[in-house]
Amino acid sequence: MKKIGLFIKRDEKAINKANELEKWLTSKGFFVLKKENIYPTNNPFDNQKIPIAPPDLFCVFVLGGDGTFLSAARWIGEQDIPVLGIKFGDVGFLAETIEEDLFTCAEKIINNEFSIEPRTRLFIRLIRNEQEIASQTALNDIVINKGALARLAHIETYINDSYLTTYRSDGLIIATPTGSTAYSLAAGGPIVYPSLPSIILTPICPFTLTNRPLIIPDNVKIKIKITEQSTDIVLTCDGQIGYEIGSYDTILVTKGKRPVKMITMSEHHYFDVLKTKLRWSGGRI
């Protein structure tokens, strides 16, 4: 018996629709595993111990917004489990379909009428006093930023151990192409097509105006150090996990070993989704 996972936003509408989908899938002979969205605790090290999805899942349906999808990607971990996003939130760049088309898409999926689009992840290691104290993956981005009352962050940045620059800014976003339409875009970063092998560096409100967003190959190693001048600095991964960091820490970022396998339908095109989400009319003003 094939198993399908339902990863659900803690929202009455999404939960009710998940119950409908569970009954429908069960009637088709599938075993259904339901999982509510994982909310991070205040202790980031607790979040590294969250159980991952069973390895024998045929696929996972995510009923929620982009935040729920990012949590589902953490739940799946490094496993090759395809995942489909169904929009039940305010933001839906990661959603392949909407609630109204859910059962039409589900019918195609159980009949294997779908494609897989691999999405690059970042792999992040936090080194403190020459010891690795934490590691995480991120589908969208990692963000290094200062607290509300802190002075500018001084972020030393190296590419393949070659010094690039020290960003004097409110922070720095390191994003995947998938994450290029998230926080990086709001901070003035470029939109990058999801399959391009690249990583985006976007400074947040840089003091030096010539520090512009930078697109680099995804086969590099990025090393980040925080200078002693900086205080009250936080590292977050996909907005889900946060670590307080300081001058005693080194952050290493590389391309993740395994991508997220996103389910796509042939009739849906990235540029159509992009135009819809960004409300590009294409007409004259």
Side-chain angles (χ1 to χ4, degrees):
M1 181 181 291
K2 287 184 177 180
K3 299 179 182 179
I4 288 181
L6 304 184
F7 197 93
I8 312 157
K9 178 181 180 179
R10 291 181 180 176
D11 170 83
E12 183 178 358
K13 189 176 181 181
I15 292 171
N16 290 339
K17 184 59 68 172
N19 292 336
E20 290 182 37
L21 182 58
E22 179 184 20
K23 292 178 182 178
W24 185 84
L25 289 169
T26 302
S27 72
K28 300 288 185 178
F30 287 86
F31 174 83
V32 176
L33 173 65
K34 290 197 295 186
K35 182 79 173 178
E36 283 198 2
N37 190 6
I38 304 165
Y39 285 99
T41 68
N42 291 328
N43 184 348
F45 301 101
D46 288 344
N47 292 292
Q48 297 192 83
K49 303 172 185 177
I50 293 174
I52 62 173
D56 57 348
L57 290 179
F58 174 67
C59 70
V60 173
F61 291 83
V62 180
L63 288 77
D66 284 355
T68 308
F69 193 98
L70 294 171
S71 293
R74 287 178 52 226
W75 182 56
I76 292 169
E78 298 290 322
Q79 303 178 100
D80 290 326
I81 301 173
V83 56
L84 174 79
I86 303 101
K87 184 178 179 299
F88 276 87
D90 295 328
V91 183
F93 272 104
L94 297 175
E96 176 64 19
T97 190
I98 57 177
E99 176 189 356
E100 289 75 14
D101 296 333
L102 171 57
F103 288 96
T104 301
C105 285
E107 185 74 46
K108 292 182 178 180
I109 288 170
I110 66 175
N111 291 321
N112 288 302
E113 298 173 2
F114 62 92
S115 300
I116 294 293
E117 183 177 293
R119 295 291 185 95
T120 298
R121 279 192 275 206
L122 299 174
F123 178 60
I124 305 99
R125 298 170 61 210
L126 180 57
I127 310 297
R128 180 169 296 168
N129 299 324
E130 300 184 357
Q131 297 289 326
E132 180 179 308
I133 65 166
S135 63
Q136 288 288 339
T137 58
L139 174 59
N140 264 0
D141 52 38
I142 74 163
V143 179
I144 300 157
N145 58 6
K146 67 181 186 67
L149 300 178
R151 294 177 295 177
L152 287 176
H154 292 68
I155 305 168
E156 289 185 7
T157 305
Y158 300 78
I159 306 295
N160 289 337
D161 292 320
S162 177
Y163 175 71
L164 174 66
T165 189
T166 297
Y167 291 102
R168 298 169 61 201
S169 62
D170 283 353
L172 177 67
I173 304 164
I174 304 175
T176 64
T178 298
S180 70
T181 52
Y183 191 8
S184 176
L185 181 61
I191 297 172
V192 179
Y193 194 78
S195 61
L196 286 178
S198 57
I199 296 173
I200 305 105
L201 303 180
T202 306
I204 305 169
C205 299
F207 181 77
T208 303
L209 297 181
T210 53
N211 279 151
R212 310 310 303 162
L214 179 65
I215 301 174
I216 58 178
D218 68 359
N219 61 353
V220 303
K221 179 179 73 174
I222 302 168
K223 181 168 67 176
I224 301 291
K225 293 184 176 181
I226 308 300
T227 72
E228 293 181 358
Q229 300 160 282
S230 306
T231 58
D232 192 15
I233 307 297
V234 176
L235 163 70
T236 57
C237 303
D238 274 344
Q240 308 263 319
I241 301 292
Y243 304 91
E244 293 182 3
I245 58 174
S247 58
Y248 39 78
D249 293 322
T250 299
I251 302 160
L252 302 178
V253 183
T254 56
K255 177 183 176 181
K257 292 182 179 179
R258 291 182 180 272
V260 173
K261 299 176 68 174
M262 290 181 61
I263 293 174
T264 62
M265 301 297 170
S266 59
E267 66 269 21
H268 295 162
H269 300 284
Y270 174 77
F271 292 111
D272 291 335
V273 174
L274 189 67
K275 289 187 293 184
T276 300
K277 300 300 180 186
L278 298 183
R279 299 181 182 181
W280 290 352
S281 66
R284 291 182 295 177
I285 296 176

